[in-house]
Amino acid sequence: MSSEWPLVRLGAVVEIKHGWPFKSEFFSVDANSSELPIVVAIGNFEYSGGFRFGTTLTKRYSDEYPAEYALRPGETLLVMTCQTAGGEILGIPARIPNDGRLYLHNQRLGRVVPKTESVFNDFLYWLFLHPDFNRHLVNSASGTKILHTAPIRIGSFQFRLPPLPEQRGIASVLDALDDRIALLRETNATLEAIAQALFKSWFVDFDPVRAKMQGRAPEGMDEATAALFPDGLEEAELGLVPRGWRLVPFGQLLCHTIGGDWGSDVPDEKNEVRVAIIRGTDIPDLQSGANSRVPVRYTSQKKLATRKLEDGDIVLEVSGGSKDQPTGRALYLTNGLLGQFDCPAEPASFCRLLRPNTKDIGVLLGQHLTYIYAQGKTWEYQNQSTGIANFQTTHFLETELVAIPTDEVLAVFANTVRPLIDRSHLTQIQELATLRDTLLPRLISGQLRLTIESN
């Protein structure tokens, strides 16, 4: 039983070290570049543990830095501050990957350094994801809107320490589930990249049209599909488009749009309907196959009637962001994704529901939004007030132009891309994540014991 395991204080077995107080200017670069060491920021932490890197979140330090703040593969970092009172990310860990890049950490992150060989680093990573650890940090933190903790408070956490072989076994089981989830997410990212590549080729670069203009057969398509594309471009109001295509304002391609909802955290006379509320911060998780953080609240039948999300709808983030991350993230909804919830879903109050005129148009608009966000174009539709970035939705709907092809080309595009989206939304990621999150506290507490073979 777990009572056989000694009760220890975390500070007795590890040391938590602050990072370096960076004061020089930072600049954003491609996270895949190896020219400069990456400075790990809180924005790089997944809520479920681990890192998420991207050009809008990752920054690098341009000057000389103390070598002791460089991180080695396998080391663990902990978030020691949180910008919301909910504390969802306070104490979240991430292990430094073994990819050859040099990582640095700042004062808001703690470096976990074992003091003894009686603890296994990978076991500690999973211990830090235990709900009891998060509750301890939130309850002992200071601050209201912004929560802070400190190494001494982190070190006061008490837990049962299994023998080293059992620590390794627990970490091995949970790591195996995490590896499978990571593989599925990589598959989803590949499917998304294929869809985006096709969108860019057909609707941004007009590759099939330009090929025919040069007397070449368009690459990657059969003769019947190639025949659907014109062999010339013509002047439109704001540039060249394939002959017979149109540039249409985004808003004219929607049949319904409305702001989101927040409801109440418990049912009452006004809000009695249970509903999942999709926030802007949930969009990356849902795109990668996780829904565990989507809050469930209560709303009215009247509000739900106009805001209930359906297959083919798009949720657009219209408020939030930061100085490094613009608003305008978007999520294309499918039955596969909506089926992960056991209740209806709505956009949150800082988001907006966009309902395209047709299913085929919806596939195109979803890819269009993904593309312009990745290109940084949504910065053009953002304004800043009282520290909160807001998306200029009306201006966007009136001025953002979408290249609309013939119905035949649109149908081929939608019939090619929609199965890729469906496939990414129907993976086993959520089931595996639920299994992992169910096993985690039981294994860590000793409620569920592993059979460890002796050598």
Side-chain angles (χ1 to χ4, degrees), residues 262-436:
W262 188 236
S264 57
D265 57 354
V266 294
D268 53 37
E269 292 183 1
K270 180 180 179 181
N271 299 315
E272 75 284 2
V273 183
R274 189 170 178 269
V275 62
I277 300 289
I278 297 178
R279 306 163 297 179
T281 191
D282 297 317
I283 288 176
D285 285 345
L286 290 169
Q287 288 173 331
S288 67
N291 70 14
S292 57
R293 291 179 48 250
V294 174
V296 173
R297 296 176 63 82
Y298 294 86
T299 190
S300 66
Q301 287 284 3
K302 182 178 179 180
K303 285 189 174 181
L304 181 61
T306 55
R307 293 170 175 81
K308 181 180 177 181
L309 293 169
E310 300 175 359
D311 180 271
D313 285 349
I314 297 170
V315 171
L316 176 68
E317 176 192 43
V318 295
S319 186
S322 69
K323 64 178 181 178
D324 303 314
Q325 176 184 296
T327 53
R329 290 181 292 189
L331 178 67
Y332 178 84
L333 278 302
T334 66
N335 283 329
L337 193 153
L338 292 170
Q340 297 178 19
F341 304 107
D342 62 355
C343 58
E346 287 184 332
S349 51
F350 281 5
C351 292
R352 192 169 188 87
L353 184 157
L354 308 178
R355 182 162 295 156
N357 290 333
T358 68
K359 295 290 187 181
D360 288 355
I361 286 291
V363 175
L364 177 61
L365 294 186
Q367 293 301 310
H368 183 96
L369 286 167
T370 299
Y371 179 78
I372 65 172
Y373 186 83
Q375 295 298 308
K377 191 179 180 183
T378 57
W379 283 113
E380 301 175 12
Y381 298 106
Q382 181 170 296
N383 59 27
Q384 199 86 16
S385 65
T386 64
I388 298 177
N390 295 305
F391 193 76
Q392 301 176 68
T393 309
T394 301
H395 177 54
F396 170 80
L397 295 178
E398 292 175 350
T399 60
E400 178 63 24
L401 298 178
V402 182
I404 300 299
T406 62
D407 291 344
E408 293 80 9
V409 170
L410 180 61
V412 171
F413 178 76
N415 291 336
T416 302
V417 170
R418 177 58 195 250
L420 301 178
I421 300 172
D422 286 335
R423 173 66 179 82
S424 68
H425 287 177
L426 290 174
T427 62
Q428 296 176 305
I429 290 176
Q430 186 55 41
E431 290 82 355
L432 291 173
T434 300
L435 175 60
R436 177 199 61 195

Side-chain angles (χ1 to χ4, degrees), residues 50-93:
F51 287 132
R52 175 181 65 238
F53 287 131
T55 55
T56 60
L57 290 177
T58 303
K59 294 190 171 185
R60 298 172 187 260
Y61 188 65
S62 57
D63 298 334
E64 293 297 322
Y65 54 87
E68 64 264 29
Y69 293 100
L71 298 166
R72 293 182 294 274
E75 288 191 310
T76 301
L77 288 181
L78 282 174
V79 174
M80 297 199 300
T81 188
C82 179
Q83 295 183 355
T84 64
E88 299 100 327
I89 201 168
L90 189 68
I92 291 296

Side-chain angles (χ1 to χ4, degrees), residues 219-230:
E219 297 180 2
M221 62 178 61
D222 56 38
E223 292 184 9
T225 302
L228 300 176
F229 287 86

Side-chain angles (χ1 to χ4, degrees), residues 152-172:
I152 191 169
R153 297 176 192 165
I154 298 173
S156 67
F157 177 68
Q158 292 187 320
F159 66 101
R160 297 282 179 180
L161 181 63
L164 206 53
E166 214 152 345
Q167 293 180 46
R168 295 182 185 276
I170 291 170
S172 177

